[in-house]
């Protein structure tokens, strides 16, 4: 340190450093404060005065021409830089940031390595604190820092030290340790050399401006490089290697404690921001108050915690500190006491304390005077109008779209999702409702949304205008039909009437050229959902209905041949599309419900003529039923490649049966045909899976189907049974638990169609049934017993 410059080497986001900085500034009384940070923020640092800017907050700098290139400098209340900022602005002192300008790190040249140096690390190649902790015999840098700084913080009691009237002694000790590390060449990088050269230039500039007592708050690692100033020519030569600086904008944005706990942003990666906030704001011993807060939290979550628990937990934490040779109980001892006493050994309850108190959900606030793009200001206006306050903690929101305010909230959230701002994510409502008038959301504000909003500003100055521009741009760049139909659905949900015509034109052109039935089947459900949403939201969907009907017609024609020759993976994917299309066609309009067909395939007696409704929905339902019939008849007579997989044929039969277009007699006939010895067992097992998917109660209502299935299953050869067993187990595992239990009870009662066998007296073993299980048990155990005669020919 020199006579006019005090170098306050700190740890970013360290409460002990923050207290030491506050004490040093109060005693040393500088006339200028220089802080490690982006110089572009000099013009907005005054916003820290008063109560409008509430930490945690962050400086956000982004390239004007490419907002996606951005960087954050987060500050919490316990950050030493924030303490220095507040000290300077409250006393109207010059406060300047002296790190390299953000514009040097946001250009294209910075992608390979910061400051244009390919392959150079962004910071020290080794953690200085970890090296010092290792030298002191600690295996945890956090614990070492707590012991030597947090538990021995200077100025914590506000008393003056006669041996250190300026409060600079702690910083001199830290500077000496860092100088020893740098003398060994540990932790240095090319980028640090450039940053330090720029900082020295700014210190010289402050001296030239006439300041005589300059406080410099910077990372402790940089102090040795700033203590001795080389020649100006030396630093200029270093800075000549900097890349071209890009034009940037900078502002303050809200930050969160949870985001501080992640390695995003300048100096972030704090493992316990909530704990650090408690340390910084608590006078005296922080442990009793911390454990009291933990007890309050657990009681609020219905855990039985009393004041006696808190007293015992404090004693345990202090005892652990003594046993471990620590000056005071730290976070490790405190959490050990919480687990053992307050949580009674439960890691689940302890995780709640970690999440709510050790990390926390604090969200900062930024005043309206902070610079912002027009899109951000429009979003803020809507948030206030609709009473949707951004919060860091997840929050559930149920909307009734019949109400104007809720409908407007829904449109805003959908528009933001279209812009990539997932503030709200659709969720399952706790209220059971299948109506289209209800929506449920899970809201959670993330700090990085500020970057996405700045990036989305290229599409417009308001949320509606930007979402409309983004929708049109996305439609023109879309390559798949399903992407376009999903975009149409989003436009309707977001109320983007200005984007629909352009998106619909692209959709109509793409649909006319796409011949892949799988693509068409994947696109139709979203269109039909959009038609339903149009009813409750009052949107015009005439053109949308025409496109949906056209897609459905083409699917009806192309579905059966598209299912031929599919492998197992392709059949499973097509089954999902089959179910979705079936539901979508059912929603296009009320389908006719004719009486079941006669066994010969002709219409049954009393079947009404297929007369299309006003929108042709009844005729469409008939065409879809015909497509399902055609699919069900495509047996693999010449091998698997010549027919549709059993999974799809069985699914088609089940859909026809559920719709009343097949009666149980014909369904039983088709099942009997599939389970005949002429068909491969694997294909039959797939048919059963498709037929039973969605519910097996029909096996209980129609004993003939269950008898056919039982007869086939018991007759499958042993060597084949092992191959089809996984498929069958997957099929029956998908049935309701009550249905499985009832089916098992009926099969166990004896041969289906015969009188139930007399029950075995309690405690008596049934030899026949026991012998039937012996081969399988032996197979599992690796034994080779004689197969009992009673079990021969029957699978267990």
């Amino acid at each position: 340190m020199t006579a006019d410059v005090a170098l306050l080497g700190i740890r970013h986001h360290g409460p002990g450093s923050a207290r030491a900085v506050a004490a040093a500034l109060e005693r040393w009384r500088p006339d200028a404060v220089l802080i490690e940070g982006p110089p572009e923020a000099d013009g907005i640092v005054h916003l820290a005065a008063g109560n409008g800017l509430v930490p945690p907050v962050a400086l956000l700098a982004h390239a004007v021409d490419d907002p996606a290139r951005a960087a954050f400098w987060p500050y919490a209340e316990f950050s030493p830089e924030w303490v220095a900022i507040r000290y300077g602005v409250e006393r109207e002192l010059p406060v300047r940031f002296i790190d390299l300008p953000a514009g040097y790190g946001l250009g294209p040249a910075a992608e390979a390595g910061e400051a244009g140096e390919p392959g150079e690390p962004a910071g020290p190649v080794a953690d200085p604190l970890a090296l010092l902790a290792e030298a002191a015999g600690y295996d945890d840098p956090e614990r070492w820092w707590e012991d030597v700084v947090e538990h021995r913080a200077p100025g914590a009691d506000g008393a003056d030290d006669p041996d250190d009237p300026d409060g600079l002694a702690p910083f001199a000790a830290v500077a000496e340790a860092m100088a020893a590390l740098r003398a060994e060449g540990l932790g240095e990088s090319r980028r640090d050399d450039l940053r330090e050269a720029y900082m020295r230039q700014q210190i010289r500039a402050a001296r030239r401006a006439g300041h005589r007592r300059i406080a410099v708050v910077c990372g402790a690692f940089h102090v040795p490089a700033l203590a001795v100033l080389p020649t100006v020519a030396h630093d200029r030569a270093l800075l000549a290697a900097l890349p071209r600086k890009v034009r940037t904008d900078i502002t303050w944005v809200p930050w969160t404690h949870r985001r501080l706990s992640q390695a995003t942003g300048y100096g972030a990666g704090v493992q316990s921001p909530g704990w650090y906030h408690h340390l910084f704001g608590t006078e005296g011993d922080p442990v009793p108050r911390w454990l009291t807060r933990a007890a309050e939290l657990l009681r609020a979550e219905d855990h039985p915690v009393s004041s006696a628990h808190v007293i015992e937990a404090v004693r345990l934490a202090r005892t652990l500190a003594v046993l471990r040779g620590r000056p005071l109980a730290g976070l490790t001892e405190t959490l050990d006491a919480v687990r053992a006493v307050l949580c009674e050994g439960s890691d689940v309850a302890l995780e709640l304390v970690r999440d709510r108190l050790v990390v926390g959900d604090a969200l900062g606030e930024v005043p309206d005077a902070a610079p912002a793009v027009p899109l951000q200001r429009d979003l803020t206006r809507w948030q206030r109008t609709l009473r949707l306050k951004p919060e860091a903690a997840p929050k559930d929101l149920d909307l009734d779209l019949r109400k104007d305010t809720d409908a407007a909230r829904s449109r805003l959230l959908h528009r933001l999702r279209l812009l990539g701002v997932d503030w709200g994510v659709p969720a399952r409502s706790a209220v059971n409702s299948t109506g289209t008038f209800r929506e449920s959301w899970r809201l959670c504000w993330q700090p990085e949304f500020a970057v996405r909003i700045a990036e989305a500003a290229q599409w417009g100055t308001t949320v509606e205008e930007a979402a409309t521009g983004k929708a049109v741009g996305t439609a023109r760049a879309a390559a798949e039909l399903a992407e376009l139909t999903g975009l149409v659905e989003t436009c309707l949900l977001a109320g983007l009437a200005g984007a629909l015509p352009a998106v619909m034109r692209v959709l109509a052109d793409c649909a006319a050229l796409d011949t892949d039935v799988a693509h068409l089947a994947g696109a139709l459900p979203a269109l039909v959902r959009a038609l339903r949403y149009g009813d409750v939201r009052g949107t015009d969907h005439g053109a949308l209905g025409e496109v949906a009907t056209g897609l459905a017609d083409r699917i009806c024609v192309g579905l059966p041949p598209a299912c031929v020759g599919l492998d197992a993976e392709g059949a499973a994917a097509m089954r999902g599309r089959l179910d979705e299309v079936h539901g979508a066609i059912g929603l296009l309009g009320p389908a006719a419900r004719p009486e079941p067909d006669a066994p010969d395939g002709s219409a049954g007696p009393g079947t009404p003529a297929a007369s299309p409704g006003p929108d042709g929905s009844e005729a469409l339902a008939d065409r879809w039923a015909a497509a399902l019939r055609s699919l069900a008849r495509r047996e693999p007579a010449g091998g698997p490649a010549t027919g549709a997989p059993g999974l799809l044929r069985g699914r088609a039969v089940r859909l026809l049966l559920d719709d009343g277009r097949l009666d149980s007699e014909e369904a039983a006939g088709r099942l009997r045909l599939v389970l005949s010895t002429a068909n491969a067992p694997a294909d039959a097992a797939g048919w059963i899976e498709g037929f039973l998917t969605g519910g097996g109660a029909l096996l209980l209502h129609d004993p003939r189907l269950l008898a056919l299935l039982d007869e086939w299953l018991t007759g499958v050869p042993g060597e084949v049974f092992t191959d089809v067993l996984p498929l069958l187990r997957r099929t029956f595992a998908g049935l309701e638990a009550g249905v499985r239990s009832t089916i098992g009870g009926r099969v166990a009662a004896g041969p289906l169609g015969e009188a139930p066998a007399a029950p075995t007296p309690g405690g008596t073993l049934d030899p026949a049934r026991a012998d039937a299980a012996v081969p399988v048990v032996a197979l599992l155990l690796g034994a080779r017993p004689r197969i009992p005669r009673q079990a021969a020919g029957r699978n267990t």
Side-chain angles (χ1 to χ4, degrees):
M1 302 196 186
T2 64
D4 61 344
V5 177
L7 299 175
L8 308 182
I10 52 91
R11 183 192 187 194
H12 300 296
H13 315 301
S17 289
R19 286 193 297 266
V21 166
L25 292 176
E26 285 291 344
R27 297 177 188 177
W28 201 67
R29 298 191 179 281
D31 59 3
V33 180
L34 307 184
I35 301 171
E36 181 182 341
E40 291 93 341
D42 287 349
I44 60 173
V45 70
H46 67 278
L47 296 174
N51 299 319
L53 194 62
V54 180
V57 291
L59 289 168
L60 164 63
H62 63 83
V64 174
D65 297 332
D66 186 4
R69 299 181 184 274
F72 294 101
W73 287 261
Y75 304 113
E77 186 178 356
F78 51 82
S79 299
E81 298 93 336
W82 178 256
V83 170
I85 290 172
R86 292 281 295 183
Y87 177 88
V89 298
E90 288 176 354
R91 290 160 180 78
E92 299 183 352
L93 300 177
V95 179
R96 300 286 182 266
F97 291 97
I98 61 172
D99 204 349
L100 272 178
Y104 286 121
L106 298 179
E111 287 187 346
E114 292 202 41
E117 295 293 325
E120 283 288 334
V125 296
D127 181 6
L129 293 183
L131 296 174
L132 292 174
E134 183 180 358
Y138 284 75
D139 57 358
D140 183 1
E142 295 291 330
R143 188 160 56 89
W144 174 81
W145 180 261
E146 275 194 346
D147 287 351
V148 301
V149 176
E150 304 303 339
H151 295 163
R152 308 178 192 274
D157 55 2
D160 291 333
D161 184 352
D163 297 328
D164 181 25
D166 294 330
L168 302 180
F171 300 102
V174 172
E176 182 180 357
M178 293 300 168
L181 289 177
R182 298 193 67 144
E184 300 295 330
L186 300 175
E188 297 184 46
S189 70
R190 172 65 174 170
R191 180 172 179 268
D192 285 323
D193 293 339
L194 294 173
R195 295 173 60 199
E196 290 159 358
Y198 192 88
M199 291 182 196
R200 291 192 291 264
Q201 293 282 56
Q202 301 309 303
I203 294 174
R204 295 187 184 101
R207 282 176 168 174
R208 290 194 301 269
H211 299 296
R212 291 294 174 262
R213 295 176 70 83
I214 304 170
V216 178
V217 180
C218 63
F221 184 77
H222 302 300
V223 169
L226 304 182
V228 180
L229 301 182
T231 63
V232 175
H234 173 272
D235 288 342
R236 286 178 177 173
L238 280 175
L239 297 175
L242 286 171
R244 181 178 62 86
K245 183 169 66 172
V246 300
R247 192 161 59 96
T248 60
D249 280 341
I250 195 165
T251 187
W252 290 103
V253 296
W255 207 250
T256 66
H257 277 176
R258 192 168 303 281
R259 186 58 60 186
L260 272 174
S261 68
Q262 302 177 11
T264 56
Y266 185 76
V270 181
Q271 297 180 7
S272 49
W275 167 255
Y276 277 3
H277 181 82
H278 177 77
L279 290 181
F280 183 73
T282 303
E283 297 291 340
D285 189 354
V287 174
R289 296 185 184 180
W290 170 264
L291 291 173
T292 300
R293 293 178 57 198
E296 292 175 352
L297 172 64
L298 292 172
R299 275 200 298 267
E301 297 295 330
D302 296 329
H303 290 270
V305 179
S306 66
S307 57
H309 286 87
V310 176
I311 295 172
E312 185 60 30
V314 172
R315 290 174 178 171
L316 178 58
R318 290 172 175 171
T319 302
L320 289 173
V322 173
L323 292 174
R324 295 170 181 175
R326 306 192 66 181
L328 290 174
L331 180 60
T332 303
E333 289 72 30
T334 305
L335 289 181
D336 286 345
V338 169
R339 176 193 285 110
V341 181
L342 303 187
C343 300
E344 298 181 344
S346 170
D347 286 335
V348 175
L350 178 66
E351 191 59 34
L352 176 66
V353 176
R354 288 183 185 275
D355 183 70
R356 301 281 185 85
L357 297 183
V358 178
V359 178
D361 289 315
L363 175 66
E365 297 180 9
V366 174
D368 294 337
V373 295
L375 179 60
Q376 175 64 66
R377 296 195 181 281
D378 184 64
L379 173 57
T380 302
R381 179 179 65 84
W382 276 111
Q383 288 171 336
R384 291 174 178 170
T385 301
L386 301 176
R387 300 186 297 279
L388 284 176
K389 182 181 179 181
E391 296 178 0
K395 174 185 176 182
D396 292 328
L397 178 67
D398 288 325
L399 301 178
D400 186 343
L401 301 181
R402 296 169 296 185
K403 301 178 181 179
D404 292 341
T405 299
D406 282 1
R409 288 173 174 175
S410 173
R411 289 192 295 269
L412 176 64
L413 294 174
H414 281 294
R415 289 170 181 175
L416 290 175
R417 281 176 59 81
L418 185 58
L419 294 174
V421 181
D422 292 332
W423 175 24
V425 177
R428 177 181 290 274
S429 172
V431 180
N432 293 325
S433 174
T434 58
T436 57
F437 65 86
R438 184 178 297 279
E439 275 187 354
S440 295
W441 296 81
R442 170 63 64 89
L443 303 184
C444 184
W445 185 262
Q446 302 292 340
E448 59 266 25
F449 291 160
V451 176
R452 299 179 188 174
I453 292 171
E455 187 177 4
Q458 61 180 304
W459 300 104
T461 58
T462 67
V463 176
E464 181 178 2
E465 180 182 335
T468 299
K470 178 68 178 296
V472 174
T474 302
R476 292 171 178 170
E480 295 185 0
L481 186 59
E483 182 180 359
L484 284 169
T485 55
L487 183 59
V488 169
E489 181 182 9
T490 302
C491 288
L492 283 172
L493 293 172
L496 301 178
L500 270 178
V503 177
M504 287 300 301
R505 283 195 298 271
V506 179
L507 172 62
D509 294 341
C510 185
L513 297 175
D514 200 328
T515 58
D516 191 322
V517 173
H519 291 171
L520 300 178
L524 180 63
L527 284 181
V528 175
R529 287 196 301 269
L531 286 171
R532 296 186 71 204
Y533 296 141
D535 294 335
V536 70
R537 297 169 190 269
T539 56
D540 181 12
H541 53 266
L544 192 61
E546 294 179 3
V547 175
T549 303
L551 285 180
D553 284 335
R554 294 172 60 190
I555 293 171
C556 291
V557 173
L559 177 68
C563 295
V564 173
L566 293 178
D567 59 10
E569 183 177 354
M574 184 61 78
R575 185 192 67 178
R577 296 190 183 98
L578 191 67
D579 288 342
E580 291 179 352
V581 171
H582 183 76
I585 290 178
L587 292 175
L588 277 176
R593 294 288 181 179
E595 292 186 15
D597 294 349
D600 61 357
S602 61
T607 302
S611 56
D615 57 355
S617 58
E618 295 182 359
L620 175 61
D622 291 339
R623 292 194 294 274
W624 174 244
L628 292 177
R629 285 185 172 279
S630 177
L631 173 60
R633 290 193 296 266
R634 289 185 177 260
E635 305 282 346
T642 62
L647 177 69
L648 298 180
R649 302 197 320 273
R651 192 64 192 148
V653 171
R654 176 61 182 273
L655 294 177
L656 290 169
L657 179 64
D658 288 346
D659 273 1
R661 294 181 178 270
L662 279 181
D663 59 12
S664 59
E665 183 68 29
E666 184 174 354
R670 291 183 180 275
L671 178 59
R672 185 179 295 105
L673 179 63
V674 168
L675 299 182
S676 65
T677 56
N679 286 334
D683 183 73
W687 197 99
I688 293 170
E689 180 182 9
F691 185 72
L692 295 182
T693 299
L698 58 89
L699 294 179
L700 303 178
H701 298 312
D702 194 336
R704 292 173 302 171
L705 298 179
L706 181 58
L708 288 172
L709 183 59
D710 181 64
E711 180 183 355
W712 170 79
L713 186 59
T714 56
V716 174
E719 62 276 7
V720 179
F721 180 78
T722 305
D723 295 333
V724 300
L725 179 60
L727 183 60
L728 292 172
R729 291 196 61 176
R730 183 177 68 190
T731 300
F732 282 92
L735 302 182
E736 304 87 338
V739 172
R740 291 200 308 270
S741 177
T742 305
I743 290 176
R746 290 195 178 181
V747 173
L752 297 173
E754 300 179 6
T760 303
T764 304
L765 180 66
D766 185 338
R769 296 181 63 186
D771 288 343
V774 171
V776 176
V777 174
L779 180 63
L780 295 175
L781 297 177
R784 295 177 175 231
R786 177 181 61 85
I787 299 178
R789 183 177 60 183
Q790 294 90 335
R794 180 175 179 88
N795 296 308
T796 304

